[in-house]
Structures are given as C-alpha cells and as structure tokens.
C-alpha cells in the first residue's frame, strides 16, 4: 500500500491542454473517486498515474517515490478498465494467473494467490470456465481478480462498471467496496456517475475541464459545495437553482425572486445588497407549506416511486424538483407552496458561481 500525491500536474496533447494544474493527495489505504463530466480529463489523469501517458508538467509520487520517469511495470500498480479484455482462449484461472506467470512467480505461489483472489471475489467455482461462459458481472470480477493477484500498492479503476446493467452495477459497487474494506489497498476510481462516487469514496475529487473543482468527503461535498458546479453535480435528484437578488438590511438577509417572493437565507451569508445570486435548495429540503408560506409553484408532473413521491413544479420559469417521504395525489396544474428548510439552503454568486454561505 502507498499514498499518492499529484502535484501541479498538467497535460498537453500537442498544443491542447487537457489537465490544467491538478493537486490531489490520496492517503495510504484510501479509496479516492475522480468524478466529472465526459471529457474533463479523468482517464488522462489516471493514465498518467499508471504511466501510460507522459506527464507534461508537475509531479506524481506513489508511496513517496516520484514516478514521472518510471515505466508502468515499475510503479507497482494494477489497473482495471471499462472493457475488461479477458483472454478468450484462457480459463478464469489462467486469466488471473497470467501476469504472475509473466513475472515468473513459482507455481505454488501462483495457485495460492489466484485461489485467494477467487475466494474474495466469489469466483472459486468458476476457475475452469472460459470468459464466454461467464456473465458480464462475473467477467468484471475476473478482471478485478487479475488486479488483485498482483497485490499492488495501488489499484486504478477506469469506469469498471459502465458495461454492466443497472442492477449489477449496484451489486458490483458494493462488492468493490467490500473488497476494499478487506484489502485496504489505496485505490483511485474513475467514474462519471456521482452516485457511484458518493457511495464508494473516502475522498471524492470533482473535476471539470481539466481542473479540480472541489475534493473532500462525500457528505462534505454534498452539504458544503464550494460552487454552483459541484452543487449541481453531486446529489440526485439534483439541487434546485433559482435566480434571485440578495436583499440585506444590517445583519438580516433575504433573497428576492423575479415575482417579488422573498425568502430568508442562512444568517452567515456573504454578499452585498442588490447582488445577483443563485438560490439553491435540495429536493429533500422542500416541505409542503401553506399559501403565503414558501415558494408558490404549479405542479407539472408527480412521480410516486412507492417509497417516496417526486414532484416537478414550476416557479418563475424554473423547474423545481421536490421529494416527499409521504404520498401525494397532486395533479398537473395544482398550485402548491414549497417551504425550504432555510438553514439548509445555499447561495451562489450568479457571475462566478462561488458559494456565498459557509455551512458548518
Ligand atoms: N491521445 C489523445 N490525443 C488528443 N486528445 C486527447 C487524447 N486523449 C484524450 N484527449 C482529450 O483529452 C480530454 C480529456 O479526455 P479524457 O479521456 O481524460 O476524459 P474523461 O474525463 O475520461 O471522459 P469520459 O468520461 O468520456 O471517459 C478530452 O477532450 C479528449 O478529447
Ligand atoms: Mg474516461
């Protein structure tokens, strides 16, 4: 096991810069998840960690050793990709043993390591099968088995679950987390799925357009997004955003929406009277209010899932999502009032997107 430090790292492909100065610290044994929209540079960064892509500027250290000029095989990492590319003509056992054979390990230790990995991954009864005789989830497990047998200092995962159907993805997500709790190997996991990031990570790194927007523990990012992008990216259904103007008199602050509705905001908000802001509130922080109390909205669609009710409604041209634990039989066109939990609301500068409320 080892810590990972990424310092002021940049990457150019020709004259195009795709990583623009990234700093990430990953503790020994930590499960870090890089998340962000397509094209933001997640795979590129992971490939630089693996040694598959040159580092244009900056430094990457694994276990305290700078690896910039080290070959992939010297870095003691194992990578699991999206398309797991098993050898079709080899059994599960041989697929998992292959890298150890190449490294000229002895037969007995190969058998022992493959069997241990197969045990961890629930593959013990499948060791004699060929990849074509396996389900997608089993194949993905074999791909992870190939990484585990090498007992590397760091695991790198690049969207390993994206070829699986939704149900299997959820199951495998739990399995990878269990595996990590058992092996405690430092891991860097790339995904564009923020739920995967939230549920698996010790540390989430939110990237956009080659930079790190914010990094921290999942619930810290959820509760204290540093800017509009992170606020909108983390959380499902996503945070609601309504354009507003900040109104303040002394210590008191409110927001005013375009229809004149005013609502209180957390007391420690920054910003000046008249400043254009974006008001943010998560769907679960909206309760049903009485007329005159909260945000008056017109119902568009009601989606009962059984466990809860999601209501989509419209206010001043903005669509709002609210989630209720209880059941409601609103119909389209109903007027309902949504009352935010004021202490849980967020405010962002409309220009820069920076958070104006620091939640403790
Ligand atoms: N070999 C290359 N040559 C030129 N540009 C590249 C190369 N590889 C990646 N890029 C560009 O770098 C940017 C980052 O790509 P990268 O694959 O790291 O994104 P990603 O965050 O992994 O996206 P996705 O979620 O779609 O996998 C993209 O704009 C991509 O087009
Ligand atoms: Mg990618």
């Amino acid at each position: 096991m080892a810590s990972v430090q990424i310092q002021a790292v940049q990457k150019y492909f020709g004259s195009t810069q795709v990583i623009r100065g990234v700093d990430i610290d990953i503790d020994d044994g930590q499960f870090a998840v890089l998340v962000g929209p397509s094209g933001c540079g997640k795979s590129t960064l992971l490939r630089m960690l693996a040694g598959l892509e040159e580092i244009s500027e900056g430094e990457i250290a694994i276990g305290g050793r700078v690896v910039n000029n080290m070959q992939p095989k010297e870095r003691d990492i194992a990578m699991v990709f999206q398309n797991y590319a098993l050898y079709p003509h080899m059994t599960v056992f041989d697929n998992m043993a292959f890298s150890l054979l190449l490294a000229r390990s002895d037969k007995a230790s190969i058998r022992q390591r493959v069997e241990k990995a197969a045990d961890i991954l629930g593959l013990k009864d499948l060791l004699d099968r060929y990849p074509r005789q396996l389900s997608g989830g089993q194949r993905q497990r074999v791909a992870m088995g190939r990484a585990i047998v090498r007992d590397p200092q760091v695991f790198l995962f690049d969207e390993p679950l994206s070829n699986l159907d939704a149900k299997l993805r959820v199951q495998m997500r739990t399995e990878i987390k269990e595996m990590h709790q058992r092996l405690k190997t430092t891991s860097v996991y790339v995904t564009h799925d923020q739920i995967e990031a939230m549920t698996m990570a010790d540390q989430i790194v939110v990237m956009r357009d080659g930079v790190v927007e914010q990094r921290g523990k999942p619930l810290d990012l959820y509760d204290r997004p540093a800017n509009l992008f992170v606020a909108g990216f983390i959380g499902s259904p996503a945070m609601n955003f309504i354009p507003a103007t900040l109104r303040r008199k002394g210590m008191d602050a409110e927001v005013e929406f375009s229809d004149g509705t005013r609502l209180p905001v957390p007391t420690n908000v920054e910003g000046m009277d008249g400043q254009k802001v974006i008001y943010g509130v998560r769907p679960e922080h909206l309760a049903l209010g009485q007329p005159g109390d909260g945000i008056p909205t017109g119902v568009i669609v009601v989606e009962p899932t059984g466990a809860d009710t999601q209501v989509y409604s419209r206010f001043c041209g903005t669509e709002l999502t609210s989630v209720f634990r209880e059941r409601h039989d609103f119909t389209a066109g109903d007027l309902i009032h949504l009352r935010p939990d004021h202490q849980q609301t967020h405010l962002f500068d409309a220009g820069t997107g920076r958070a104006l409320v620091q939640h403790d």
Side-chain angles (χ1 to χ4, degrees):
M1 289 201 291
S3 62
V4 173
Q5 278 90 35
I6 298 172
Q7 272 173 5
V9 162
Q10 301 184 36
K11 176 69 184 175
Y12 287 86
F13 287 112
S15 59
T16 312
Q17 188 172 17
V18 300
I19 301 288
R20 303 162 189 273
V22 162
D23 295 289
I24 304 173
D25 272 320
I26 301 167
D27 294 338
D28 188 17
Q30 197 177 59
F31 198 102
V33 177
L34 307 182
V35 66
S38 183
C40 72
K42 306 177 295 293
S43 296
T44 303
L45 197 57
L46 201 70
R47 289 169 59 79
M48 286 196 280
L49 263 171
L52 302 172
E53 217 52 91
E54 214 171 290
I55 300 161
S56 310
E57 291 286 342
E59 213 168 75
I60 295 182
I62 298 176
R65 291 185 310 165
V66 175
V67 297
N68 285 44
N69 297 317
M70 261 185 216
Q71 290 299 312
K73 62 173 189 297
E74 296 172 309
R75 297 188 185 198
D76 199 8
I77 45 112
M79 191 148 169
V80 183
F81 295 95
Q82 171 181 348
N83 39 5
Y84 18 82
L86 302 178
Y87 300 108
H89 58 284
M90 286 187 197
T91 63
V92 168
F93 184 97
D94 289 340
N95 263 286
M96 282 165 61
F98 190 67
S99 68
L100 300 177
L101 276 173
L102 285 186
R104 300 180 192 286
S105 307
D106 66 89
K107 276 240 168 75
S109 91
I110 290 178
R111 174 151 294 278
Q112 191 200 355
R113 283 162 84 165
V114 170
E115 280 175 356
K116 183 172 164 222
D119 191 26
I120 288 169
L121 294 165
L123 290 169
K124 263 179 138 171
D125 298 329
L126 305 176
L127 287 172
D128 296 328
R129 295 222 196 148
Y130 289 89
R132 63 171 185 281
Q133 300 168 314
L134 301 175
S135 71
Q138 289 164 340
R139 274 180 224 167
Q140 188 52 277
R141 259 178 244 150
V142 177
M144 280 191 280
R146 286 200 303 202
I148 292 179
V149 293
R150 295 172 50 197
D151 191 22
Q153 293 204 74
V154 181
F155 283 129
L156 304 178
F157 298 93
D158 195 352
E159 310 233 14
L161 307 184
S162 54
N163 281 343
L164 306 178
D165 66 42
K167 196 170 168 201
L168 200 51
R169 243 185 359 243
V170 173
Q171 188 190 331
M172 291 297 291
R173 174 169 105 192
T174 316
E175 284 184 20
I176 294 177
K177 199 168 166 173
E178 263 178 38
M179 179 185 97
H180 178 256
Q181 282 164 5
R182 236 171 119 169
L183 301 174
K184 298 197 171 56
T185 308
T186 311
S187 302
V188 188
Y189 185 103
V190 163
T191 178
H192 58 259
D193 179 344
Q194 59 86 23
I195 303 254
E196 237 168 75
M198 285 297 286
T199 51
M200 298 176 87
D202 297 316
Q203 173 179 208
I204 296 186
V205 180
V206 180
M207 292 181 64
R208 175 170 64 158
D209 202 13
V211 300
V212 172
E213 290 282 338
Q214 192 175 359
R215 59 191 187 90
K217 290 188 187 138
L219 293 178
D220 282 345
L221 264 58
Y222 191 85
D223 293 338
R224 290 178 275 281
N227 55 50
L228 205 53
F229 177 77
V230 175
F233 193 80
I234 299 285
S236 173
M239 188 185 288
N240 295 296
F241 294 127
I242 313 172
T245 306
L246 185 63
R247 298 289 178 208
R248 66 187 324 159
K249 250 195 224 122
M251 288 303 286
D252 289 338
E254 287 183 330
V255 282
E256 181 178 346
F257 301 119
S258 62
D259 71 336
T261 301
R262 287 187 174 219
L263 290 179
V265 289
T267 44
N268 59 347
V269 64
E270 298 169 33
M272 298 175 306
D273 184 53
Q275 186 170 337
K276 295 291 173 214
V277 293
I278 304 289
Y279 177 83
V281 58
R282 294 205 181 275
E284 69 272 28
H285 294 145
L286 289 167
L288 221 46
Q290 299 301 318
D293 176 19
I295 309 168
T297 73
V299 172
I300 309 168
V301 172
V302 181
E303 289 181 349
T305 68
D308 56 25
T309 313
Q310 291 196 19
V311 178
Y312 301 90
S313 57
R314 190 167 288 129
F315 168 70
C316 290
T318 305
E319 192 174 303
L320 300 182
T321 310
S322 44
V323 179
F324 303 101
R325 291 301 300 187
E326 68 279 7
R327 296 179 182 188
H328 290 291
D329 52 1
F330 307 127
T331 45
D334 285 355
L335 178 70
I336 60 171
H337 290 78
L338 298 174
R339 187 165 44 78
D341 177 349
H342 300 306
Q343 284 309 321
Q344 304 270 17
T345 56
H346 299 261
L347 219 56
F348 306 93
D349 179 76
T352 63
R354 195 174 65 81
L356 297 172
V357 177
Q358 309 308 325
H359 289 278
D360 353 283

